[in-house]
Amino acid sequence: MLLENKVVLVTGASAGIGRAVAIGCARHGADVAINFGRDTAGAAAAVAAIEALGRKAVAIQGDVAEPATARAFVEGAVAALGRVDVFVNNAGICPFHAFLDMPAETFERTMRVNMHGAYFMVQAAANQMVKQGDGGSIIAMSSISALVGGEYQTHYTPTKAGVLSLMQSCAIALGKHGIRCNALLPGTILTDINKDDLADTGKRTYMEKRIPLGRLGEPDDLVGPTVFLASDLARYVTGASMLVDGGMFVNLQ
Ligand SMILES: NC(=O)C1=CN([C@@H]2O[C@H](COP(=O)(O)OP(=O)(O)OC[C@H]3O[C@@H](n4cnc5c(N)ncnc54)[C@H](O)[C@@H]3O)[C@@H](O)[C@H]2O)C=CC1
Ligand SMILES: C[C@H](O)[C@@H]1OC(=O)[C@H](O)[C@@H]1O
């Protein structure tokens, strides 16, 4: 198994991509600590699914927008599972809104959750890995939106570009410690984050038509790429980014 004896931490793992990735890593042999915001039932379901696979799991509540959450999550995970081998920064929000009347609070909250949250979480995980002294793998859930814009995502796309950039700089800062840092760039994956947006059937059909593989993504589509980057198969991969979008980005005409 690719992640045998590894401890994986995933933020925002009570639903969507984070939950799929947490359970997927357990399927490949990892013990898993999940951070979650408010969804206690979703977090409990993720823990139960991981334990049903014969792996250890712990769920730790905390708002990633608060810098103190990062240290508490890493410390709680180490207390429960012993160490941190892989850190997946996944928690994120995208409250769709037009640019010209974007409320300052919506802009600031999106920045704090997606960008500040990623920064302090990655920093806390990296410090633990440096302390352990035998490297690690950090993976950030960026987005196709790091590379292209969105009319109702002017507050969101800069955070995804920021997270991609964070992985590039951290790859340099942490390479000497044997810590690899990479970004995954999902396309459009059906989750709660875009449920309302894609309830517009015209928009959903348009998005589907843009995808050469012919369908929107599902959370499990991110498991393979995450497990690969987490595993020793990717031992010489750092500072890299991988689109997981069914080919949407390259589909000009
Ligand atoms: N669904 C998609 O099409 C795409 C999603 N992404 C990214 O993937 C990541 C996961 O999103 P999805 O699974 O799609 O959405 P989701 O809405 O299903 O999941 C987001 C998760 O983050 C958690 N979360 C939100 N704010 C939090 C906070 N302040 N503290 C702790 N946890 C918090 C939520 O509780 C939830 O578990 C996000 O970073 C998103 O930007 C990137 C590209 C495409
Ligand atoms: C929320 C969006 O539907 C989703 O998130 C992203 O990062 C991409 O823009 C997807 O379409």
Side-chain angles (χ1 to χ4, degrees), residues 11-12 34-39 60-73 89 91-93 108-118 120-121:
T11 66
I34 68 168
N35 149 270
F36 70 101
R38 294 197 207 124
D39 181 4
I60 299 166
Q61 189 163 19
D63 178 353
V64 299
E66 299 296 331
T69 299
R71 210 165 338 123
F73 180 42
N89 191 85
I93 57 171
E108 278 165 14
R109 179 71 185 160
T110 305
M111 286 285 164
R112 288 211 173 274
V113 172
N114 297 6
M115 190 67 246
H116 296 214
F120 291 113
M121 277 288 181

Side-chain angles (χ1 to χ4, degrees), residues 12-18 35-37 62-65 90-93 109 113 141-143 156 160 186-189 191-194:
S14 57
I17 293 170
N35 149 270
F36 70 101
D63 178 353
V64 299
N90 167 78
I93 57 171
R109 179 71 185 160
V113 172
M141 225 38 91
S142 172
S143 171
Y156 172 79
K160 295 287 124 177
T188 297
I189 313 294
T191 68
D192 287 346
I193 209 171
N194 49 27

Side-chain angles (χ1 to χ4, degrees), residues 199-221:
D200 173 346
T201 48
K203 172 143 189 200
R204 182 171 170 145
T205 304
Y206 164 75
M207 297 302 278
E208 283 165 350
K209 286 206 168 120
R210 291 201 51 187
I211 300 172
L213 289 184
R215 65 170 175 85
L216 296 169
E218 47 193 59
D220 273 344
D221 292 326

Side-chain angles (χ1 to χ4, degrees), residues 32-170:
V32 185
I34 68 168
N35 149 270
F36 70 101
R38 294 197 207 124
D39 181 4
T40 309
V47 166
I50 292 164
E51 289 175 344
L53 292 163
R55 309 308 319 178
K56 288 189 207 148
V58 62
I60 299 166
Q61 189 163 19
D63 178 353
V64 299
E66 299 296 331
T69 299
R71 210 165 338 123
F73 180 42
V74 171
E75 283 173 4
V78 171
L81 304 176
R83 53 185 283 114
V84 178
D85 296 295
V86 177
F87 183 81
V88 182
N89 191 85
N90 167 78
I93 57 171
C94 181
F96 285 72
H97 204 286
F99 175 58
L100 292 176
D101 63 349
M102 177 70 67
E105 312 80 65
T106 306
F107 172 79
E108 278 165 14
R109 179 71 185 160
T110 305
M111 286 285 164
R112 288 211 173 274
V113 172
N114 297 6
M115 190 67 246
H116 296 214
Y119 193 94
F120 291 113
M121 277 288 181
V122 167
Q123 186 188 47
N127 271 303
Q128 175 62 28
M129 289 172 180
V130 169
K131 196 160 104 185
Q132 291 166 189
D134 54 357
S137 170
I138 297 176
I139 300 159
M141 225 38 91
S142 172
S143 171
I144 189 173
S145 298
L147 309 178
V148 287
E151 180 175 359
Y152 297 100
Q153 296 177 307
T154 57
H155 51 328
Y156 172 79
T157 60
T159 68
K160 295 287 124 177
V163 162
L164 169 60
S165 174
L166 177 65
M167 286 300 95
Q168 293 171 339
S169 288
C170 285

